[in-house]
Amino acid sequence: MDQARPTPDLIIFDCDGVLVDSELLSCRCLSDVLAEFGFALTEAQALELFLGRSTKAIEQHYRNLGQIVPDGFLPRLKSRVLETFAASLEPIPGVRAVVSELTVPFCVASSSDIDRVSLSLDVTGLGPLFDDRIYTAQMVRHGKPAPDLFLHAAAQMRASPARTLVIEDSVSGVQAGKAAGMTVWGFVGGSHYSVRDGRAILSAAGADRVYGRMSDFWKDV
């Protein structure tokens, strides 16, 4: 892709924090459910540690600390997240217009499980735009920041990684996209970046461009 307006063969959107404004809701659920099981983690710590990561990363984090997350934790977390999303989740402002106007193939590649992604898209009315073009960390061996998920999505969509554009809001997602050999744009318009310098964070992670409003999707490129 050149430095003018890019013409990718595929655009891959992350879901949480890019299509739907879910990250603060997710971190609140994680903090609350961990507390139920006797683990202390603030919402801010949850954002710092697990933004863009799968539930496997949560379990591994505590395993590295010599602690085992109880068997009932993940089902309880999933239930709490789905309940919260059904009641409160909103789309990222302007994202429907951007996706609706795309003339190149596009899909979703998310660290969340398929049930959560499907609910997120359905609740926010974005589901029909993506149909079954949804790929999740459940489908690969290694989640973000490994490149596996993005490479899998590109392969399923029959696109070259070098001709693929990724839209991500997390450090792990940016790192995964770059490791896959893709162009990555960092998006910092989600509410979880209201008190954090998202531009600096994602630029440092390697994003090729960082922008803060979906209405600016093609602006200055």
Side-chain angles (χ1 to χ4, degrees), residues 3-221:
Q3 295 304 307
R5 177 165 170 156
T7 54
D9 293 337
L10 172 67
I11 299 177
I12 301 178
F13 291 90
D14 179 34
C15 183
D16 297 296
V18 171
L19 298 175
V20 299
D21 198 5
S22 58
E23 298 291 16
L24 288 183
L25 294 177
S26 299
C27 289
R28 189 170 302 132
C29 290
L30 176 57
S31 177
D32 289 348
V33 173
L34 281 171
E36 293 177 14
F37 286 86
F39 295 83
L41 187 76
T42 67
E43 292 177 31
Q45 290 171 324
L47 267 177
E48 187 67 29
L49 291 169
F50 303 120
L51 180 65
R53 307 295 300 278
S54 68
T55 52
K56 288 182 181 178
I58 300 172
E59 293 182 305
Q60 186 61 52
H61 171 77
Y62 284 103
R63 192 175 298 119
N64 291 342
L65 295 176
Q67 299 173 289
I68 303 298
V69 176
D71 290 340
F73 168 73
L74 289 182
R76 173 63 181 137
L77 177 61
K78 179 176 181 178
S79 175
R80 181 66 172 270
V81 167
L82 294 181
E83 176 184 298
T84 300
F85 280 16
S88 306
L89 189 62
E90 296 289 341
I92 290 291
V95 74
R96 187 191 313 277
V98 168
V99 176
S100 297
E101 294 170 3
L102 292 178
T103 58
V104 299
F106 57 89
C107 65
V108 177
S110 171
S111 293
S112 298
D113 64 47
I114 190 68
D115 291 341
R116 173 169 158 173
V117 177
S118 296
L119 176 69
S120 296
L121 297 179
D122 288 344
V123 165
T124 55
L126 300 174
L129 294 174
F130 290 91
D131 195 23
D132 61 351
R133 300 185 308 280
I134 300 173
Y135 306 101
T136 74
Q138 295 168 301
M139 301 174 182
V140 295
R141 183 171 184 178
H142 301 291
K144 304 171 188 178
D148 302 31
L149 178 56
F150 288 137
L151 292 173
H152 173 72
Q156 294 299 306
M157 296 292 292
R158 293 181 168 82
S160 164
R163 298 285 302 171
T164 297
L165 171 63
V166 171
I167 314 300
E168 263 289 353
D169 73 306
S170 70
V171 169
S172 61
V174 170
Q175 292 172 336
K178 297 305 294 181
M182 301 173 178
T183 297
V184 182
W185 287 356
F187 178 70
V188 293
S191 58
H192 56 296
Y193 279 121
S194 61
V195 294
R196 304 171 78 216
D197 188 353
R199 291 182 181 275
I201 292 170
L202 298 189
S203 293
D208 298 288
R209 174 197 178 211
V210 181
Y211 69 109
R213 297 187 304 176
M214 275 299 165
S215 58
D216 292 336
F217 190 82
W218 292 122
K219 185 177 180 181
D220 300 326
V221 296

